[in-house]
Amino acid sequence: FGTTVSMQRPCIKWRQGFGEERPSRMCSPLTDGCDENRDTEEKNMDRTQAVTLTNMCMVYNGRQVLVLEKADDDWRGITFPGGHVEKDESFADSVIREVLEETGLTIVSPQLCGIKDWIREDGSRYMVLLYRTNRFEGELRSSSEGRAFWAAPEDLPHENLSPDFMDVLKVFLDDTLSEFYYYLQDGQWHHTLQ
């Protein structure tokens, strides 16, 4: 029934810099000296990863959702509008731009509601930021990306859907879910919702 306080004390190793001496690193009060391997371990523990950032948005109007029947040879089927985040572009601005380019609608206040992600063969991560909104203006139109149209979610299983679309839809609709994650196991791709 007490409070645990983490305390640090200066190491016995010092370095000079900016005209003053200062401790080179902090140590736990439970040890007598610095962990000599700590600097090496920190250098070896690379916490950065190349990431491809994209977005997808479920625009809804009552009981209907806006979908896009993609015409791309690499990605066919019914999906939500979206695309890549451009360099120096905010995430929200990127999804607003993509929806406008693909559907003619200008969305307002897109709400981040989840992510879809996986690790690629080269070790980089591919991440799709999932947004939803029911606020929009403009006139619906199709684009070179594909045909845009409104559909009831219950009618979608009868359409030609993009891979795993119905499970991605669950992340958009279920507030207890926030991630659709692909993983490779025994040479086969699987996914989990969490």
Side-chain angles (χ1 to χ4, degrees), residues 24-44:
S24 64
R25 56 186 172 270
M26 303 302 278
C27 299
S28 164
L30 303 176
T31 62
D32 288 334
C34 291
D35 179 357
E36 294 297 330
N37 296 321
R38 184 172 173 185
D39 285 338
T40 303
E41 290 171 0
E42 287 177 356
K43 287 178 187 172
N44 291 336

Side-chain angles (χ1 to χ4, degrees), residues 117-142:
D117 64 317
W118 62 94
I119 306 300
R120 299 162 90 180
E121 289 181 13
D122 64 2
S124 66
R125 182 178 296 264
Y126 195 97
M127 184 177 295
V128 185
L129 303 168
L130 306 177
Y131 289 89
R132 66 181 170 218
T133 187
N134 63 348
R135 298 180 58 201
F136 58 91
E137 56 187 37
E139 201 165 314
L140 182 64
R141 63 164 173 72
S142 296

Side-chain angles (χ1 to χ4, degrees), residues 33-193:
C34 291
D35 179 357
E36 294 297 330
N37 296 321
R38 184 172 173 185
D39 285 338
T40 303
E41 290 171 0
E42 287 177 356
K43 287 178 187 172
N44 291 336
M45 187 178 4
D46 185 8
R47 293 185 177 172
T48 63
Q49 181 178 33
V51 178
T52 299
L53 294 169
T54 64
N55 59 59
M56 184 181 287
C57 188
M58 182 184 78
V59 181
Y60 59 100
N61 187 9
R63 283 285 308 141
Q64 292 196 315
V65 294
L66 178 61
V67 292
L68 190 67
E69 186 172 19
K70 288 287 231 181
D72 191 320
D73 286 337
D74 293 331
W75 187 256
R76 288 192 171 275
I78 304 292
T79 189
F80 291 126
H84 284 82
V85 177
E86 300 295 338
K87 185 178 179 185
D88 298 327
E89 183 178 39
S90 77
F91 295 149
D93 287 345
S94 73
V95 75
I96 291 167
R97 176 186 51 77
E98 286 289 350
V99 172
L100 177 62
E101 289 174 1
E102 295 181 358
T103 71
L105 299 181
T106 301
I107 60 172
V108 179
S109 300
Q111 300 298 305
L112 185 63
C113 61
I115 58 171
K116 175 182 177 182
D117 64 317
W118 62 94
I119 306 300
R120 299 162 90 180
E121 289 181 13
D122 64 2
S124 66
R125 182 178 296 264
Y126 195 97
M127 184 177 295
V128 185
L129 303 168
L130 306 177
Y131 289 89
R132 66 181 170 218
T133 187
N134 63 348
R135 298 180 58 201
F136 58 91
E137 56 187 37
E139 201 165 314
L140 182 64
R141 63 164 173 72
S142 296
S143 70
S144 61
E145 293 285 333
R147 181 175 65 103
F149 62 98
W150 294 100
E154 59 270 14
D155 294 337
L156 290 174
H158 308 293
E159 297 284 344
N160 178 31
L161 303 176
S162 60
D164 302 316
F165 178 82
M166 293 307 292
D167 281 338
V168 174
L169 180 62
K170 291 175 186 175
V171 178
F172 283 101
L173 298 175
D174 186 341
D175 288 336
T176 66
L177 297 174
S178 63
E179 185 178 16
F180 177 109
Y181 181 70
Y182 279 117
Y183 61 95
L184 196 58
Q185 182 178 357
D186 300 325
Q188 298 292 316
W189 284 101
H190 303 274
H191 67 269
T192 183
L193 301 177

